Amino acid sequence: MANQNLPQIQPDAAAWLGRAQVADAIPCDTCPVRDISICSVLPRQKRAEFASGSHGRRIAKGTVIADEGATMTQVSSVVDGVVKLIKSTSDGRQQIVGLAFPADLVGRPFAENSEFRVETATDVALCSFSRSGFERVLAENPDVEKFMLKAKLDEIDKARAWMLVLGRKSAEERVATLLLMLAEREAKSIRHEGRAPTDVTFELPLTRAEMGDYLGLTLETVSRQFSKLRDAGLISFEDHRDVRVPSIARLAHVAGD
Amino acid sequence: MANQNLPQIQPDAAAWLGRAQVADAIPCDTCPVRDISICSVLPRQKRAEFASGSHGRRIAKGTVIADEGATMTQVSSVVDGVVKLIKSTSDGRQQIVGLAFPADLVGRPFAENSEFRVETATDVALCSFSRSGFERVLAENPDVEKFMLKAKLDEIDKARAWMLVLGRKSAEERVATLLLMLAEREAKSIRHEGRAPTDVTFELPLTRAEMGDYLGLTLETVSRQFSKLRDAGLISFEDHRDVRVPSIARLAHVAGD
DNA sequence: CGAGTGCTTGAGGGAAGTCAAGATTGGTGG
DNA sequence: CCACCAATCTTGACTTCCCTCAAGCACTCG
């Protein structure tokens, strides 16, 4: 019960930002999510403000953007990487209650404090508004508000779908469900010419411990289920981080629902 | 694993509506949620349309308003009673992924089909728009859209908070968390003169099986935990449905987070 | 090359699930 | 009004799945 993967030390973001290979921010016109993120409905001038001098600014893996219960003054769009939303009990158990992928928004308009810890799972690129600035944009641009409402309605559906995973699925089904979600995301992202592939290879954005925290399992159970799925031929590994899913359909079958 | 509380037969709503004690709908001007529901920002004329000739129309307990995956043409505000949102696996396991209380909205604008089954847990009173009508109201009334966005942002926070319950809490903590939620709701509702009480008595809106489905437990485990909490003096029963919580604070302590 | 981090695997235990039997309650019809 | 039936709830005995604790391996980075 008093288990879990306690908060890790947070690296020095400033130092990280100085590292050569990540110094460059992503400009709007080559932004990978410019057509599907909130920017697609943002007036040109507001978009410039959103990116606020540092289009797609880089944040190191493991950086805590906001603590649970703490003030959060920014609303951001994820341009690249994965962000974790984490809730904890007083005795240190923690649960990842959401993941934000590119084009998703993190931050909470109309509320002073964050309901959960917001922490980068990978190196991340963000575009940010101040919360008040974002609220002003919402009030002045009906299209933006409608976009946000639709996005949040989708987010609720996804959160509720995950409640079925946490409440009723076996360890094997949970792990398969997560892999399926990542595999489908990957398949969709590479459906350039023609249809989406059924055989995909991708890098896991989370450690075993993080996957446990997302799935309501321990890291050992996650590891065991990976081995089981590997032995059953449903997945294979290059190394611990790179997975191949030869048949998304077969994986979906194991995932349950 | 292949457990769970299968769908019950749905009573004849028409017959039910004919019953004497429930024939009367609730008119707007005595509506218990007129100041806090979406009606508080709805123009007078739209409000009349929302209630559409049958202000606070009555629906029998156990009625399925929409099936998982089926078309849902209405968006409704709960005036009285409790509505369950249920997701299922193919083999019949089910999870209540949300409860809608008075002033909450049920239904999904901007989507044809419902992501989950929507079913009344108690006798319920509703006000409804057609989905298309509701979308029009949203487009034409920025205040309404803003109200909806804020409501949905709160709903996401609540759904995420519940993910911590499902992913990381023990059976005892889960049951205590549910009781705490209901007790706090009750305390808030009767804080007429002065402050909210710390000792409350209320009727459980769900059966043991339904509570199990909400908490990711079996009905037997829910029952056992009730007995345990009773023996510990944290709750007491009039009968199986009426609970007294003598100290909300003590219950909150057991609930964890 | 040693320390740190992340991952895997094994052995054992415990919390919750499953199966089963009764008790209680509430609704219905005689 | 009472008797019966179905639904709901409680409790017990047993089982199982996942957690806990522990050891060891692989890879990366000073």
Side-chain angles (χ1 to χ4, degrees):
Chain A
M1 182 57 49
N3 55 343
Q4 264 60 54
N5 330 319
L6 298 167
Q8 54 267 54
I9 351 100
Q10 98 190 63
D12 184 345
W16 189 91
L17 286 165
R19 294 208 319 243
Q21 74 274 25
V22 291
D24 294 351
I26 299 171
C28 272
D29 45 336
T30 61
C31 174
V33 295
R34 68 186 181 285
D35 295 331
I36 55 169
S37 73
I38 197 161
C39 288
S40 65
V41 290
L42 224 43
R44 181 170 222 69
Q45 166 216 347
K46 288 292 171 190
R47 200 157 59 217
E49 187 189 322
F50 192 32
S52 63
S54 60
H55 297 245
R57 96 178 183 283
R58 302 285 191 165
I59 310 271
K61 170 176 172 169
T63 305
V64 175
I65 296 174
D67 260 308
E68 186 172 346
T71 314
M72 189 170 191
T73 58
Q74 304 276 107
V75 175
S76 310
S77 175
V78 178
V79 172
D80 187 47
V82 179
V83 176
K84 300 178 285 179
L85 312 179
I86 306 167
K87 276 191 86 81
S88 304
T89 59
S90 47
D91 64 352
R93 285 170 279 167
Q94 55 181 15
Q95 173 70 36
I96 295 181
V97 298
L99 291 176
F101 289 93
D104 291 340
L105 286 167
V106 301
R108 188 42 249 252
F110 311 119
E112 174 79 4
N113 298 316
S114 180
E115 288 286 312
F116 28 77
R117 191 149 53 95
V118 179
E119 183 178 329
T120 54
T122 63
D123 291 346
V124 159
L126 296 181
C127 283
S128 308
F129 271 117
S130 70
R131 180 158 44 82
S132 57
F134 189 82
E135 287 170 14
R136 212 173 317 116
V137 171
L138 283 179
E140 291 165 3
N141 301 78
D143 286 354
V144 177
E145 189 163 77
K146 186 172 179 182
F147 180 94
M148 176 99 182
L149 177 56
K150 284 186 178 181
K152 291 300 163 183
L153 288 168
D154 286 341
E155 215 171 305
I156 292 177
D157 288 344
K158 288 203 187 101
R160 295 202 195 287
W162 205 251
M163 288 170 63
L164 177 64
V165 176
L166 295 176
R168 294 301 187 196
K169 287 196 182 178
S170 69
E172 182 178 37
E173 290 172 317
R174 293 187 204 206
V175 171
T177 303
L178 174 58
L179 287 170
L180 179 63
M181 184 193 84
L182 296 170
E184 286 179 334
R185 181 171 283 276
E186 176 67 17
K188 191 176 283 183
S189 81
I190 55 179
R191 52 113 184 61
H192 283 141
E193 50 271 353
R195 63 214 317 83
T198 60
D199 174 336
V200 293
T201 301
F202 56 93
E203 188 183 345
L204 295 166
L206 304 176
T207 65
R208 303 292 187 264
E210 288 172 322
M211 290 188 265
D213 283 346
Y214 192 35
L215 296 167
L217 300 171
T218 58
L219 68 96
E220 294 94 331
T221 297
V222 172
S223 181
R224 276 185 251 272
Q225 296 303 329
F226 269 133
S227 301
K228 195 171 163 194
L229 291 171
R230 166 173 45 71
D231 296 348
L234 287 157
I235 57 174
S236 59
F237 288 102
E238 297 287 315
D239 58 40
H240 296 323
R241 279 258 166 172
D242 293 299
V243 206
R244 172 165 173 241
V245 175
S247 163
I248 290 181
R250 286 209 302 138
L251 187 62
H253 188 255
V254 178
D257 55 6
Chain B
M1 183 59 48
N3 56 344
Q4 266 56 54
N5 327 321
L6 298 166
Q8 55 266 54
I9 353 98
Q10 99 189 60
D12 183 345
W16 189 91
L17 286 166
R19 293 209 318 245
Q21 73 275 27
V22 293
D24 295 349
I26 298 173
C28 273
D29 45 337
T30 62
C31 175
V33 296
R34 69 186 181 284
D35 295 332
I36 55 170
S37 73
I38 197 163
C39 287
S40 65
V41 292
L42 224 44
R44 182 169 221 69
Q45 166 216 345
K46 289 292 170 191
R47 199 157 60 216
E49 188 189 324
F50 191 33
S52 63
S54 61
H55 298 245
R57 97 178 184 284
R58 302 285 192 165
I59 309 271
K61 169 176 174 170
T63 305
V64 175
I65 297 174
D67 261 308
E68 186 172 347
T71 314
M72 189 171 190
T73 58
Q74 304 275 108
V75 175
S76 310
S77 175
V78 178
V79 172
D80 188 47
V82 179
V83 176
K84 299 178 286 179
L85 312 179
I86 306 167
K87 277 191 84 81
S88 304
T89 59
S90 47
D91 64 353
R93 284 171 280 168
Q94 53 181 17
Q95 174 70 36
I96 296 181
V97 298
L99 291 176
F101 289 93
D104 290 340
L105 287 167
V106 301
R108 191 39 253 250
F110 312 120
E112 173 80 4
N113 298 317
S114 180
E115 289 286 312
F116 28 77
R117 191 149 53 95
V118 180
E119 183 178 328
T120 54
T122 63
D123 291 345
V124 159
L126 295 181
C127 283
S128 308
F129 271 118
S130 71
R131 180 157 42 80
S132 57
F134 190 82
E135 286 169 13
R136 213 175 316 116
V137 171
L138 282 178
E140 291 165 3
N141 300 79
D143 286 355
V144 177
E145 189 163 78
K146 186 172 180 184
F147 180 94
M148 176 100 181
L149 176 56
K150 283 186 176 180
K152 291 299 165 184
L153 288 168
D154 285 343
E155 215 171 305
I156 292 178
D157 287 345
K158 288 203 187 101
R160 295 203 196 286
W162 206 251
M163 288 170 65
L164 176 64
V165 175
L166 295 175
R168 293 303 186 194
K169 287 196 183 179
S170 69
E172 182 178 37
E173 290 172 318
R174 292 186 204 206
V175 171
T177 302
L178 174 57
L179 287 170
L180 179 64
M181 186 193 82
L182 295 170
E184 285 178 334
R185 181 171 282 276
E186 176 67 17
K188 193 177 283 185
S189 81
I190 56 177
R191 54 110 183 62
H192 284 140
E193 49 271 353
R195 63 214 315 85
T198 61
D199 174 337
V200 294
T201 301
F202 57 92
E203 188 182 345
L204 295 166
L206 304 176
T207 64
R208 303 291 187 265
E210 289 171 322
M211 290 188 267
D213 283 347
Y214 192 34
L215 296 166
L217 300 171
T218 59
L219 69 95
E220 294 95 329
T221 298
V222 172
S223 181
R224 276 187 249 273
Q225 296 304 328
F226 268 130
S227 301
K228 195 172 162 193
L229 291 171
R230 166 173 45 70
D231 296 347
L234 286 158
I235 57 175
S236 58
F237 288 102
E238 297 287 315
D239 58 39
H240 296 326
R241 280 258 165 172
D242 293 299
V243 207
R244 171 163 174 244
V245 174
S247 164
I248 290 181
R250 286 210 302 140
L251 188 62
H253 188 254
V254 177
D257 55 2

